Amino acid sequence: MGAVNRFLVNQKYLLILFLGVVIFASLQSYFGALKSFYEGGKLYTTYNNYIIFKQSFFHLIERKDLYVHFVEEQFDLFKYSPAFALIFGIFAILPDIVGLSLWNILNAAVLFFSVYYLPRLDMRTKGLILVFVIVEFLTAVQNEQSNALIAGLLLFTFGFLEREKYWLASFCLVSTIFIKLFGIVGLALFLLYPNKFKLTYTTAFWVVLFTLLPLLVVDMEQFIFLYKSWANLLANDHSISDGLSVIGWLKTWFGLNVNKTYVSVAGAILFCIPLLRIKQYINFVFRMLLLASIMIWVVIFNHRAESPTFIIAITGVALWYYGQKQKPENYALLVLAFVFTTLSPTDLFPRFIRNEWMKPYVVKAVPCILIWGKITYDLLFAKLSPRINKAIELEK
């Protein structure tokens, strides 16, 4: 146990582990064979998601519609904001192997250092959080997606709020919204902190800045067209799939073909009820569990949630478990999450089990759904205690 503890408290060792995962995933993607996403279809690179992000920059500066199919270049649509397409030019202008690696390194760095920026948690606890999410992180970077970046930005938002650094907090949160719109749920965190006027105008500043950013490379007519096209894509995207979500769980387990809007509204109401406990806002564990609730909610109530999206939820799970006093029932749920959320898509489960049971019955989502229910219950009724007894000063 001594060697394990030394590893957990050594930031350098854990950073090497994360960078090793990034290098492995980047090289695996870059040198992977061409693949088709459906039988007999066109072949694309293994790092297709990176190509979508990369090409969005060139489509933007070429005054094209970002939100249509470019089947000769990529599989699937670009679904992020025009501002994201512009900023991604930092990577797009580089050779693919360099841009892809740096993109994955950015995701790793933001997630890694955001965990260490969490207040009131000791180094061992932060190490436990990072080790717990490492397999899910590998899944995320193997798919070249932005989900680890979003998870890290949400953690940084919390860390900056705790330190009353509101400009940086609002920057991180608005950044998540302009990557994936569901980051808007994180605005609920602002209710827990004083000086809401400053939070309002700092958030408004960053929203305006990110919104107008594409005007650096497009004229006003194209600017308006792009935002209309993005809004149209998001509106039509709602009915496409059920994803690894509460909606998919209700349909595959119970045969309930429930309207997605009704499920989302019910989930939003359940999420908001703990916010009525205003007197609990001064409790650090309450605030941290609300962050965990947000990180899980944006995944399990997302009808487009895929396996790589769960780095956000599983980071929330780790924060929920390791950030408070441990309980047997929480440990049981943690084990379920590690086995069925983190490991179920891996080769540790035989292919026939993954294809016949895990994927069709959205098993990956179920432990996170149960844990989110437990978090909601605890936020409403439980006496919340920190993981460690001795007080740890809030870093300034």
Side-chain angles (χ1 to χ4, degrees), residues 21-267:
V21 167
V22 166
I23 293 169
F24 169 77
S26 300
L27 293 177
Q28 181 188 49
S29 296
Y30 183 76
F31 290 107
L34 296 176
K35 67 177 182 178
S36 174
F37 291 86
Y38 53 89
E39 188 174 350
K42 180 179 171 59
L43 296 174
Y44 298 95
T45 63
T46 305
Y47 53 102
N48 178 71
N49 287 320
Y50 175 79
I51 295 297
I52 293 174
F53 301 153
K54 170 187 172 179
Q55 291 303 109
S56 71
F57 169 72
F58 296 111
H59 297 156
L60 178 69
I61 63 177
E62 292 166 3
R63 311 298 197 272
K64 295 179 180 179
D65 185 353
L66 300 178
Y67 305 104
V68 296
H69 286 284
F70 294 92
V71 293
E72 294 303 315
E73 303 172 11
Q74 65 202 38
F75 178 79
D76 210 352
L77 293 162
F78 175 72
K79 298 173 184 176
Y80 298 176
S81 71
F84 178 88
L86 178 62
I87 295 170
F88 206 86
I90 298 169
F91 306 102
I93 61 175
L94 300 171
D96 283 357
I97 182 61
V98 178
L100 171 62
S101 299
L102 290 177
W103 167 242
N104 283 337
I105 287 171
L106 174 65
N107 276 262
V110 172
L111 178 59
F112 182 86
F113 289 109
S114 68
V115 170
Y116 279 106
Y117 197 68
L118 290 169
R120 305 194 188 187
L121 301 180
D122 60 23
M123 292 293 285
R124 184 177 182 276
T125 300
K126 293 173 181 179
L128 285 167
I129 291 172
L130 288 169
V131 170
F132 185 79
V133 306
I134 191 70
V135 176
E136 203 68 59
F137 171 72
L138 172 61
T139 300
V141 291
Q142 282 177 321
N143 288 270
E144 313 91 42
Q145 292 197 8
S146 60
N147 298 301
L149 176 62
I150 291 175
L153 287 170
L154 288 171
L155 294 183
F156 266 130
T157 298
F158 179 75
F160 288 132
L161 286 170
E162 288 291 311
R163 294 167 174 83
E164 299 183 6
K165 297 181 178 181
Y166 292 160
W167 277 101
L168 291 171
S170 57
F171 168 78
C172 289
L173 186 59
V174 171
S175 297
T176 69
I177 297 171
F178 278 81
I179 299 173
K180 290 190 175 181
L181 202 57
F182 59 55
I184 200 169
V185 180
L187 289 171
L189 283 174
F190 289 1
L191 298 174
L192 308 182
Y193 297 90
N195 206 341
K196 292 179 177 56
F197 176 68
K198 186 173 184 179
L199 283 169
T200 300
Y201 71 71
T202 57
T203 301
F205 172 84
W206 293 118
V207 168
V208 171
L209 181 64
F210 277 109
T211 301
L212 298 181
L213 204 56
L215 285 172
L216 293 173
V217 294
V218 301
D219 58 28
M220 182 59 72
E221 182 181 2
Q222 179 69 3
F223 172 82
I224 295 172
F225 168 78
L226 286 174
Y227 275 97
K228 286 183 177 179
S229 183
W230 186 32
N232 182 62
L233 172 71
L234 294 176
N236 292 327
D237 187 53
H238 187 68
S239 61
I240 292 176
S241 71
D242 300 320
L244 299 171
S245 67
V246 170
I247 297 163
W249 174 60
L250 291 174
K251 181 178 290 187
T252 57
W253 283 49
F254 307 104
L256 299 175
N257 196 9
V258 186
N259 184 288
K260 294 176 182 178
T261 301
Y262 295 161
V263 174
S264 298
V265 170

Side-chain angles (χ1 to χ4, degrees), residues 269-392:
I269 292 171
L270 288 171
F271 169 78
C272 289
I273 290 175
L275 292 171
L276 298 175
R277 298 186 70 191
I278 297 174
K279 292 182 179 180
Q280 288 294 315
Y281 290 5
I282 62 171
N283 186 329
F284 173 76
V285 178
F286 181 91
R287 299 194 299 271
M288 186 170 54
L289 290 193
L290 186 69
L291 171 62
S293 175
I294 290 169
M295 298 183 78
I296 299 172
W297 194 98
V298 298
V299 176
I300 63 173
F301 284 94
N302 177 6
H303 69 284
R304 297 289 286 166
E306 304 171 301
S307 185
T309 317
F310 274 78
I311 182 58
I312 303 173
I314 213 67
T315 303
V317 168
L319 192 64
W320 156 75
Y321 181 77
Y322 290 110
Q324 62 174 318
K325 186 177 180 180
Q326 296 178 0
K327 304 172 185 176
E329 63 272 25
N330 289 359
Y331 180 73
L333 288 170
L334 184 80
V335 172
L336 286 177
F338 185 71
V339 174
F340 293 105
T341 298
T342 297
L343 298 182
S344 65
T346 71
D347 291 337
L348 292 176
F349 282 74
R351 182 182 297 272
F352 79 92
I353 293 180
R354 300 199 306 269
N355 292 338
E356 297 296 326
W357 294 96
M358 299 301 172
K359 291 179 182 178
Y361 290 96
V362 296
V363 172
K364 186 176 179 74
V366 175
C368 292
I369 295 171
L370 297 176
I371 289 170
W372 183 76
K374 179 63 165 56
I375 292 173
T376 302
Y377 175 85
D378 287 348
L379 286 171
L380 283 170
F381 304 111
K383 182 179 179 181
L384 302 174
S385 303
R387 175 182 171 85
I388 51 179
N389 292 323
K390 68 175 184 176
I392 297 177

